[in-house]
Structures are given as structure tokens and as C-alpha cells.
Amino acid sequence: LVYEDEPIGFLVFIETEAERRFTDEERQVAAALGEQAAAAIHNAQLLRRTAVQKRRLELLLESTRAISSSVDLDEVLEIVARTAGELLGSQECRIQEYDPVGNTVRPVALWQRMHDEPAPIGQVVPLGDAPRDRVFIEACEVLEQRYSDPELPAATRALFDEYGDRARLNVPLVFNGRPVGALVLVEKERERHWSEDEVALAKALAEQAAVAIEHARLYKRVQDQAVTDGLTGLYNHRHFYDRLEREIA
């Protein structure tokens, strides 16, 4: 089966009772049927790719709107994690915040296709025992990890065992050239290899997550500055009355 000089399959006629010899006319009919089958397969593949692309654009638009309309970091990161997991067909997506001073990462958002496993949210993970994990963040490069990789650090392998992971796609979150965390796509059933298109899509979503984290940090900083004294760091007159109104209410 050939479509535009590209082989896409076979059409096979089988005889099980006798050694049949096909005539030239039968061969021509089979070839014509093969052309129709090739065109049908091509159109079905094109329709499927179009549907997948449409769904991807819808989810990307949803996450973009969430980032532009909300300053609630938890809400935004939850949407980004769900979008990445659904778009790339992963069992799990984690968003981690990176602390360069403490050399740690901390999961701040988690989406799971199945909700029957404990969520490692809030568990600080030191990177001292897994230098490759820190290198990919600081170098702002994508890192694929698979359980069968003999070079997988022992500390990372222990985490794979703890969470039942088989493969991870680690995408750094970068804002203004500075790493702020990582978006981690997780496979638990197989050692998956991600395509270039899938990696590019994951990087686009990681950019959104990085922007969300920085915007939320900036918003919190502005809020803090509005209710605290710049010199002493103590709460100011405005904060006292705002709090008093909430307590009375």
C-alpha cells in the first residue's frame, strides 16, 4: 500500500486450500483495491493527527488563559501539570521548584491519570546524591531517564523504585535564563522514548509553568510589601485593620 511514493502497509490475499495462481486481471484488481486502501489509511491518519493537534491547541489555550487570568500559583500549576500530562499521554506529571541555595527540588504540583497512589507533594528532594539531576536544571537542557539506564544515579533509581517509575522526561523551567524548577513527565508502564515534537511541546508547557511561578512570586512580594514596613519587616497599620476586619467578620 503506497500513498504519494510512501509505503504505509500491505494488502494480502491468502489461499489456504490450494496453491492458487492469480491472473493478471486479478492482480490489477488487487492493485486498485490497494490504492483505495492506502488512500483510506492516509486520510484516517491525517484526520487523527488533526484531531490530536486540535486537542493540543485547546489545552494550550486553556493553560495560557489560566496563567494570564490568575495569580493563584497552585491553581495555575495544577492546570499546567494536567495539560502536559494529557497532551503527552503520560501517567503522571510533576512540577518541581528548584532551590539553588539548598540544592533541592520540591514538588509543587502533581497530576495523575490514576489517583490510587500517594502524591509526593511537599517532599523536598536533595540533589547532592544525583548530580546529573542538578546539571540538567542548571544547564537548562532536557533530560530523559529510563530505569534500565546503567548510568542512572543510585539516588534517582531509589526514587524510581519508591514511586514505581519506569521513565521520566525532565524539562527545566527557565525564566529570563535562570532555572526555577522542572516539569517531569512520568511513565510507569514502559520505558518510553519521547519524540522531538513531544519534547518541543513539553518545553512550551514548561515555559508557561516558569512564567506562572515567577508571576506568583512577584505578586506575593508586592502583597508583602503592601502590608509590611520596609525597614523593620513588621506588619503595618493597613495589615492590622485588614486582619481586624476579617476577625470581626
Side-chain angles (χ1 to χ4, degrees):
L1 307 181
V2 181
Y3 189 87
E4 294 184 350
D5 298 327
E6 185 71 23
I8 59 176
F10 293 93
L11 178 62
V12 184
F13 297 90
I14 300 174
E15 288 291 336
T16 59
E17 297 179 355
E19 292 189 0
R20 175 178 175 180
R21 295 184 180 276
F22 296 93
T23 65
D24 290 341
E25 183 178 349
E26 289 172 332
R27 290 171 181 269
Q28 292 175 3
V29 172
L33 291 171
E35 291 179 0
Q36 293 181 356
I41 291 175
H42 171 78
N43 290 338
Q45 291 175 340
L46 183 61
L47 181 61
R48 185 163 57 248
R49 287 196 296 267
T50 302
V52 170
Q53 185 67 12
K54 179 175 179 292
R55 179 57 178 163
R56 286 180 174 179
L57 291 174
E58 289 174 346
L59 290 172
L60 281 172
L61 180 60
E62 178 184 349
S63 61
T64 301
R65 284 174 175 170
I67 290 175
S68 60
S69 63
S70 175
V71 292
D72 186 336
L73 180 60
D74 293 339
E75 177 186 353
V76 172
L77 292 183
E78 181 182 345
I79 292 175
V80 173
R82 174 175 57 82
T83 301
E86 290 184 352
L87 280 177
L88 295 166
S90 299
Q91 275 77 46
E92 192 170 293
C93 179
R94 305 167 191 159
I95 296 179
Q96 301 173 332
E97 189 174 13
Y98 174 53
D99 177 11
V101 177
N103 192 25
T104 61
V105 292
R106 180 177 65 88
V108 292
L110 172 70
W111 175 86
Q112 293 175 310
R113 190 171 299 278
M114 304 297 291
H115 299 281
D116 56 352
E117 298 181 10
I121 292 296
Q123 178 181 346
V124 176
V125 179
L127 298 179
D129 297 331
R132 286 180 62 191
D133 290 2
R134 176 170 183 168
V135 167
F136 100 86
I137 294 178
E138 294 188 338
C140 300
E141 296 178 354
V142 175
L143 172 65
E144 290 191 43
Q145 295 173 313
R146 280 171 281 276
Y147 189 82
S148 62
D149 183 0
E151 297 183 1
L152 191 68
T156 304
R157 189 180 301 277
L159 291 174
F160 269 55
D161 288 331
E162 181 179 352
Y163 299 130
D165 298 348
R166 301 299 301 173
R168 292 179 184 174
L169 178 67
N170 303 276
V171 185
L173 308 182
V174 183
F175 187 82
N176 286 342
R178 178 174 57 86
V180 297
L183 183 146
V184 183
L185 292 159
V186 180
E187 290 293 329
K188 294 180 176 293
E189 298 177 355
R190 59 192 174 98
E191 295 193 355
R192 176 177 175 179
H193 292 260
W194 285 267
S195 68
E196 292 184 5
D197 289 343
E198 290 172 333
V199 172
L201 181 59
K203 290 171 69 175
L205 290 165
E207 290 178 2
Q208 291 186 335
V211 171
I213 289 175
E214 286 304 306
H215 282 182
R217 285 176 176 173
L218 179 61
Y219 180 75
K220 185 177 185 304
R221 189 179 305 124
V222 172
Q223 280 189 316
D224 291 343
Q225 291 174 350
V227 297
T228 57
D229 177 74
L231 181 61
T232 64
L234 299 176
Y235 287 121
N236 60 19
H237 181 270
R238 173 182 174 182
H239 176 269
F240 175 79
Y241 277 97
D242 286 346
R243 182 61 184 268
L244 180 61
E245 288 181 3
R246 290 199 299 270
E247 292 295 338
I248 292 175

